[in-house]
Amino acid sequence: MRLIRFGNQGEEKPGVELKDGQRFDVSAFGEDYNESFFQNDGLERLKVWVSENTQNMPLIKKETRLGPPICRPSKIVCVGLNYAQHAAESGMAVPKEPVLFFKSTSAIVGPNDDLIIPKGSEKTDWEVELAIVIGKKASYVSETDALNYVVGYVLHNDYSERAFQIEKEGQWCKGKGCDTFAPIGPFVATKEEIKNPNNLELWLKVNGETMQNSSTSDFIFNVQEVVSYISRFMTLLPGDIISTGTPFGVGLGFDPPKYLKPGDVVELGIEGLGVSRQTCKAYK
């Protein structure tokens, strides 16, 4: 099953996308896709509800805006430098343990919403990433059991302002949490749809030019490893997002570097997780 949320920003309703690509309003189910939904076996209850109400679900028009498919998670935990070639292009050593940082949940927007280049920014960059959605409370999870705590996967563009991130003192979060810097979606693909998250093709284009084209098979730390590792240091709650890092081809890695400017169009996708598209606009 594919989970979507649709409608005007801040007024999104829950929906589902079926295998034929049709989208349906499931707001009559009575729950949004939040921590409580996942905690209380919402996905399984929703599957039953959909099977019993297929004829009664309103069809969502294709032109309807898609919002973020998860309703404000408690946190977004990101893994930095999780592809060897990306570490190299960033001029950093391959990490011996996962590098972790947080991304503000206020940065979350829909998959096709505009990317707002922050005030004073000259180095806004792109990063296509596979993101994991946690399905149940996870603490001190073993690698062998880690996938049992995953409910699904979602496409994420981990936008980064490199001057804020690297050149200012302090942690990376300064360059990661700007408004609109976390477009997710178009949908959450539930776990059974993604047979092997550690072997998915992913790509990103800017103005039609391919910048990133790789596979999650190049992970330094795979999905099971990062879920287990992070759960040693914090409790992961249902609906939380773990973003697993980006492959080589970010703007920072070019010589000279390439950064986004107003009017640029960024398109990205992951095998089995759809495609998103953001138009870059200046902060006003």
Side-chain angles (χ1 to χ4, degrees), residues 62 106 118 142 162 193 212 231 243 248-250 267 284:
K62 284 291 185 183
S106 60
S142 68
R162 301 303 189 188
E193 289 206 5
Q212 296 182 278
S231 77
S243 202
F248 70 96
V250 299
E267 297 173 282
K284 293 184 179 179

Side-chain angles (χ1 to χ4, degrees), residues 110-265:
N112 303 310
D113 290 344
D114 292 335
L115 180 279
I116 305 301
I117 297 174
K119 185 177 181 180
S121 168
E122 296 182 353
K123 298 182 179 181
T124 294
D125 204 348
W126 55 84
E127 297 189 18
V128 59
E129 302 200 5
L130 170 69
I132 304 162
V133 182
I134 297 298
K136 58 184 179 179
K137 190 174 180 179
S139 181
Y140 297 104
V141 173
S142 68
E143 288 182 25
T144 56
D145 200 29
L147 292 184
N148 291 326
Y149 291 81
V150 174
V151 72
Y153 303 92
V154 66
L155 173 64
H156 173 219
N157 195 343
D158 176 25
Y159 281 110
S160 308
E161 211 300 337
R162 301 303 189 188
F164 298 175
Q165 175 191 358
I166 299 169
E167 297 171 23
K168 292 185 179 293
E169 294 184 359
Q171 299 181 343
W172 287 3
C173 60
K174 290 180 181 178
K176 295 287 188 173
C178 303
D179 290 351
T180 75
F181 267 32
I184 57 173
F187 52 78
V188 171
T190 52
K191 188 166 52 178
E192 68 274 7
E193 289 206 5
I194 305 297
K195 301 304 181 186
N196 184 3
N198 298 311
N199 188 23
L200 299 175
E201 294 180 0
L202 67 170
W203 56 269
L204 181 144
K205 298 179 181 180
V206 178
N207 299 329
E209 180 183 357
T210 298
M211 299 296 183
Q212 296 182 278
N213 188 8
S214 188
S215 168
T216 60
S217 62
D218 288 334
F219 277 151
I220 298 170
F221 306 103
N222 68 23
V223 167
Q224 296 93 311
E225 289 173 313
V226 299
V227 171
S228 175
Y229 183 85
I230 294 169
S231 77
R232 290 164 49 190
F233 301 99
M234 67 196 77
T235 297
L236 295 166
L237 298 178
D240 279 356
I241 293 172
I242 299 173
S243 202
T244 59
T246 198
F248 70 96
V250 299
L252 175 68
F254 286 87
D255 186 15
K258 299 180 179 181
Y259 295 116
L260 295 168
K261 59 185 184 302
D264 285 345
V265 175

